[in-house]
Amino acid sequence: MAKKSKRELAALGSATQDVSLTLADVAKRAGVSPITASRALNRPELVNEATRKRVLETVQTLGYVPNLLAGGLASSKSRLVAILLPTINHSLFSTAVQAMMDRLTEAGYQSLLGSTGYSAKKEEILLEAILGRRPDGVVLTGTLHTESSRRRLASAGIPVVEAWDLGDSALDMQIGFSHEQVGQHIAQHFFAKGYRDFAVITADDPRGLRRTNSLVSQLKQLGITHTLVETLPLPATWQVGREGLRRLLKRNSRPQLVICSSDILALGVLAEAASMNLHIPDDLAVLGFGNITESEFAYPALSTVSVNAPEMGRQIAEALLGRFADKTCNLKLRVDTGFTLLERFST
Amino acid sequence: MAKKSKRELAALGSATQDVSLTLADVAKRAGVSPITASRALNRPELVNEATRKRVLETVQTLGYVPNLLAGGLASSKSRLVAILLPTINHSLFSTAVQAMMDRLTEAGYQSLLGSTGYSAKKEEILLEAILGRRPDGVVLTGTLHTESSRRRLASAGIPVVEAWDLGDSALDMQIGFSHEQVGQHIAQHFFAKGYRDFAVITADDPRGLRRTNSLVSQLKQLGITHTLVETLPLPATWQVGREGLRRLLKRNSRPQLVICSSDILALGVLAEAASMNLHIPDDLAVLGFGNITESEFAYPALSTVSVNAPEMGRQIAEALLGRFADKTCNLKLRVDTGFTLLERFST
DNA sequence: AGCTTGACTGATAGCGCTATCAATATAAGA
DNA sequence: TCTTATATTGATAGCGCTATCAGTCAAGCT
């Protein structure tokens, strides 16, 4: 009762905003039925020009903000895309995510970010909470920890994009690149340039490990039988990179080239090398991965592998939007966004 | 019809997950009324132990995921907290946000991240979309571009935390520190240490500018009448930091100490200095701001101002949770989380 | 005139959940 | 014995929106 009267007050007065204004209030004031008001906002092509204008003006003057919870419930379209990241902080993915969000926001979708962190238990809870919002789509960037999480996602019946990879067991759409190819390419490229003594510093993450394995086995094929590999626990930070180089140098020989599983590690290596007065690339060459924005402006500028993150982000957004518009489109989509080896001044 | 039968199928079969399972399905199977099932999940203290257990088991076996859109609509509690950031990428705020999200997630809230970017227009649209989700609370980290955005937020009738600052015109709760004090403290500290020749590289952001103004005027009071200030456009990146130092050195004298408005700029300055073969801190001392994780492991380790971001994040979360539990609590909350000048090896 | 078509608008009935009040049973107190 | 309190469960009625189907009206055609 009290509520109702408050509302009517707001509708009658010249309030420019209100908390609990409903579409019905707008409709009443514009002299149309609620459903027409709804259409004026969501399917303007179905409404007469003059009517639509009147409704939109009323929306403006009242400061009405549609309740998307209600809209989502009624239409079973939440206009929400869930993005799962390993961590929100220092993410290799942030550039891709930014581009993706920009495009999605433009198209009227919002992004629900979830950081899966490092605990499988937390991930399960997160996934449940996110699925509870009935997102229209899900983007997976990191890997999921448990198989049950993957199954749960698969059976949620919503479009899923697995980004940053092109694995075998696709849940749905895949947009990324081949980590094996990256490893192989690095090996071939630097072998051809004359490097013979390689070392790897990698974080203990499945994809970094795959790149590493592919690199090592390609080197073997080229006749380089022994490659030092330092595997360090997540998360990848500068500190870990520095520690990695220290450990590497404690071992026998000093490698010509250190290949890092991420730019973040590589920047740590650069810092550690500087602290040791090692000259880069003469004393030690360093390669990163991911081409985060810092890399280009490090000193020396970091050589790295670019995976064209903004483009990937855009493609992910488009793939989802396509599927939203037409449920049968992009069904087995698999896009290889490739990669580029960027030689700057650290190799 | 078809829908109904599909549902019943799922409820009868031993399916472990289903898309459109409702609470009513769970209730039927557990032999209770829907409302009891609802309570078993959300207000367990109101339900008999045995009943609750039965319901929860049923939820498990069916793989039911509550529809939070419906729940939110019915209870007008969305369990959603909106966090507005200037940008999701390379954010000074990411550590605070991470801590905040962790706590909120733990308490059953989800975070809707919005990047306000650099366009006021985009910000308006974003705000409208976010308010449409009826978040239970909003956290503002950057500043909002337009006054109308602020008003809109204020009149949304939900708890708002303004983080990272303690301004005069609080919308609601404030948790942060005084940028003026930071500037003043830096001036006093380094003056006392004997520095006399200062320069500032700052991004064109309101708070950095406030720190700078306070610094400069404090220096004036100490008898240092002229301080070079380079103001560069957002976003703050390494590139901008490098550019800043270059510009600074093109001017007359070389300062003893360069004070940067963010660690990111400072790391850029470090890189530029390295490229010029300047020795830090002897040739040039550098101070950052924010204490991002990289700073500690840069070479040389970056002196900076820590604002205790994780603690701030936690406090923000607690403030909101307190308010959610009791609408009258924390009403004019204003927490000064302070700051610490961390001298490492760049000063 | 009668029919069809297209453009527009509205009435109705939910979406899946919870607030609210009511009902029941049992235990405790007078 | 009859209240009164406590614990537990259920019936009802929405939350604010949209899908769906059903008009209404004017224009165009036979």
Side-chain angles (χ1 to χ4, degrees):
Chain A
M1 291 292 126
K3 205 169 175 189
K4 192 99 187 178
S5 71
K6 195 174 67 188
R7 262 195 224 149
E8 275 163 14
L9 214 76
L12 293 170
S14 62
T16 46
Q17 1 237 320
D18 191 77
V19 206
S20 50
L21 219 46
T22 75
L23 191 55
D25 299 322
V26 174
K28 199 181 297 175
R29 204 170 205 245
V32 295
S33 71
I35 183 64
T36 298
S38 167
R39 282 197 277 250
L41 290 171
N42 300 312
R43 322 198 42 198
E45 73 279 7
L46 293 181
V47 174
N48 177 283
E49 167 98 33
T51 316
R52 188 176 71 230
K53 224 175 123 193
R54 193 148 34 88
V55 172
L56 293 183
E57 270 164 14
T58 314
V59 165
Q60 278 296 317
T61 57
L62 293 183
Y64 166 72
V65 178
N67 185 328
L68 299 179
L69 296 179
L73 178 59
S75 65
S76 36
K77 271 182 266 161
S78 63
R79 302 201 140 258
L80 216 47
V81 172
I83 304 175
L84 297 181
L85 294 167
T87 162
I88 180 128
N89 211 353
H90 314 290
S91 175
L92 257 186
F93 309 113
S94 58
T95 307
V97 169
Q98 182 82 57
M100 183 186 344
M101 280 179 68
D102 284 351
R103 180 67 188 96
L104 289 173
T105 303
E106 196 182 302
Y109 285 79
Q110 270 148 82
S111 317
L112 199 59
L113 249 67
S115 69
T116 54
Y118 300 101
S119 137
K121 173 97 197 251
K122 269 171 90 176
E123 179 183 283
E124 296 251 323
I125 295 170
L126 179 75
L127 198 60
E128 163 134 8
I130 280 186
L131 257 21
R133 302 270 169 212
R134 300 293 188 265
D136 292 339
V138 175
V139 179
L140 241 49
T141 55
T143 41
L144 247 27
H145 296 120
T146 66
E147 193 47 39
S148 101
S149 291
R150 277 177 65 88
R151 261 185 288 114
R152 172 152 239 170
L153 246 188
S155 67
I158 48 178
V160 175
V161 176
E162 289 171 279
W164 215 265
D165 206 344
L166 294 172
D168 307 316
S169 59
L171 283 173
D172 184 358
M173 298 179 273
Q174 288 190 321
I175 298 179
F177 54 92
S178 157
H179 292 261
E180 280 72 20
Q181 275 177 29
V182 170
Q184 197 180 350
H185 183 77
I186 293 172
Q188 288 168 346
H189 179 87
F190 288 100
F191 184 87
K193 279 192 75 178
Y195 287 88
R196 290 299 177 268
D197 196 357
F198 298 82
V200 176
I201 297 177
T202 179
D204 190 10
D205 106 279
R207 292 168 187 181
L209 259 21
R210 276 166 49 209
R211 292 193 297 275
T212 301
N213 290 340
S214 161
L215 172 90
V216 169
S217 77
Q218 179 66 40
L219 284 176
K220 252 182 205 135
Q221 283 186 32
L222 293 167
I224 295 179
T225 52
H226 201 66
T227 305
L228 281 179
V229 176
E230 277 295 345
T231 307
L232 293 130
L234 288 165
T237 61
W238 283 31
Q239 182 178 21
V240 173
R242 294 189 70 158
E243 171 70 16
L245 183 59
R246 253 178 273 132
R247 287 201 201 173
L248 218 51
L249 297 184
K250 257 192 219 149
R251 302 217 211 168
N252 281 354
S253 63
R254 186 157 84 209
Q256 292 174 283
L257 172 61
V258 178
I259 294 148
C260 302
S261 73
S262 78
D263 280 3
I264 294 168
L265 292 179
L267 292 171
V269 167
L270 250 39
E272 186 65 20
S275 82
M276 292 172 163
N277 239 327
L278 289 176
H279 189 260
I280 287 178
D282 304 333
D283 298 334
L284 187 76
V286 179
L287 181 72
F289 176 82
N291 192 26
I292 62 178
T293 42
E294 284 88 341
S295 306
E296 184 178 352
F297 301 102
Y299 181 78
L302 185 67
S303 296
T304 190
V305 177
S306 162
V307 295
N308 205 357
E311 176 59 21
M312 202 189 297
R314 238 168 288 129
Q315 294 230 23
I316 296 167
E318 291 304 340
L320 282 174
L321 292 172
R323 179 71 71 80
F324 296 158
D326 168 9
K327 290 197 185 310
T328 64
C329 119
N330 299 333
L331 262 184
K332 286 275 159 192
L333 187 71
R334 194 162 185 280
V335 180
D336 190 340
T337 49
F339 58 89
T340 322
L341 186 51
L342 254 35
E343 286 218 71
R344 296 204 270 234
F345 295 100
S346 69
T347 53
Chain B
M1 293 294 126
K3 205 170 175 187
K4 190 98 185 178
S5 72
K6 195 174 67 187
R7 260 192 225 152
E8 277 163 12
L9 214 75
L12 294 169
S14 62
T16 47
Q17 359 236 322
D18 191 77
V19 205
S20 51
L21 220 46
T22 75
L23 190 55
D25 300 322
V26 173
K28 199 181 297 172
R29 209 178 202 237
V32 295
S33 71
I35 184 64
T36 299
S38 167
R39 282 197 277 250
L41 290 171
N42 300 312
R43 322 198 43 198
E45 73 280 6
L46 293 181
V47 174
N48 177 283
E49 167 97 34
T51 316
R52 189 177 71 230
K53 224 176 124 193
R54 194 147 34 88
V55 172
L56 293 183
E57 270 164 16
T58 314
V59 166
Q60 279 296 317
T61 57
L62 293 182
Y64 166 72
V65 179
N67 184 329
L68 299 178
L69 295 179
L73 178 59
S75 66
S76 35
K77 270 182 266 161
S78 63
R79 302 202 140 257
L80 217 47
V81 172
I83 305 175
L84 297 181
L85 295 166
T87 162
I88 179 129
N89 211 351
H90 314 290
S91 174
L92 257 187
F93 308 112
S94 58
T95 306
V97 169
Q98 182 82 56
M100 183 185 345
M101 280 178 68
D102 285 350
R103 179 69 188 94
L104 289 173
T105 304
E106 195 183 303
Y109 285 79
Q110 271 148 82
S111 317
L112 199 59
L113 249 68
S115 70
T116 53
Y118 301 101
S119 137
K121 174 98 194 249
K122 269 171 90 176
E123 178 182 282
E124 296 251 325
I125 295 170
L126 179 75
L127 198 60
E128 163 134 6
I130 279 186
L131 257 19
R133 301 271 168 212
R134 300 294 188 263
D136 291 339
V138 175
V139 179
L140 241 51
T141 55
T143 41
L144 247 27
H145 296 118
T146 66
E147 192 48 40
S148 101
S149 291
R150 277 178 65 87
R151 261 184 288 114
R152 173 153 239 171
L153 246 189
S155 66
I158 47 178
V160 175
V161 176
E162 289 171 277
W164 214 265
D165 206 344
L166 294 171
D168 308 314
S169 59
L171 283 173
D172 183 358
M173 297 179 274
Q174 288 191 321
I175 298 180
F177 54 93
S178 156
H179 292 262
E180 280 72 19
Q181 274 177 28
V182 170
Q184 199 180 347
H185 183 77
I186 293 172
Q188 288 168 347
H189 178 88
F190 287 101
F191 183 86
K193 279 192 75 178
Y195 287 88
R196 290 298 178 269
D197 196 356
F198 298 81
V200 176
I201 297 176
T202 179
D204 190 10
D205 105 279
R207 291 167 188 182
L209 259 21
R210 275 167 49 211
R211 293 193 296 275
T212 300
N213 289 341
S214 161
L215 172 90
V216 169
S217 78
Q218 180 65 39
L219 284 176
K220 252 183 204 136
Q221 282 187 33
L222 293 167
I224 296 178
T225 51
H226 201 64
T227 304
L228 282 179
V229 176
E230 277 296 344
T231 306
L232 293 131
L234 287 164
T237 62
W238 285 30
Q239 182 179 22
V240 172
R242 294 188 70 157
E243 171 69 16
L245 182 59
R246 252 179 274 130
R247 288 202 200 170
L248 218 50
L249 297 184
K250 256 192 219 148
R251 302 219 212 166
N252 281 353
S253 63
R254 186 158 84 210
Q256 291 174 284
L257 172 62
V258 178
I259 293 149
C260 303
S261 73
S262 79
D263 280 2
I264 294 168
L265 292 180
L267 292 171
V269 167
L270 250 39
E272 185 66 19
S275 82
M276 291 170 162
N277 239 327
L278 289 176
H279 188 259
I280 288 177
D282 304 334
D283 296 337
L284 187 75
V286 179
L287 181 73
F289 176 82
N291 192 27
I292 62 178
T293 43
E294 283 88 342
S295 306
E296 184 178 353
F297 301 102
Y299 182 80
L302 184 66
S303 296
T304 189
V305 177
S306 162
V307 295
N308 205 358
E311 176 59 22
M312 202 189 299
R314 238 168 288 130
Q315 294 230 25
I316 296 166
E318 291 305 338
L320 283 174
L321 293 172
R323 179 70 73 78
F324 296 158
D326 169 10
K327 289 196 185 311
T328 64
C329 120
N330 299 335
L331 261 183
K332 285 275 159 192
L333 187 72
R334 194 160 184 280
V335 180
D336 188 341
T337 49
F339 57 88
T340 323
L341 186 50
L342 254 33
E343 286 218 69
R344 296 204 270 235
F345 296 99
S346 69
T347 52

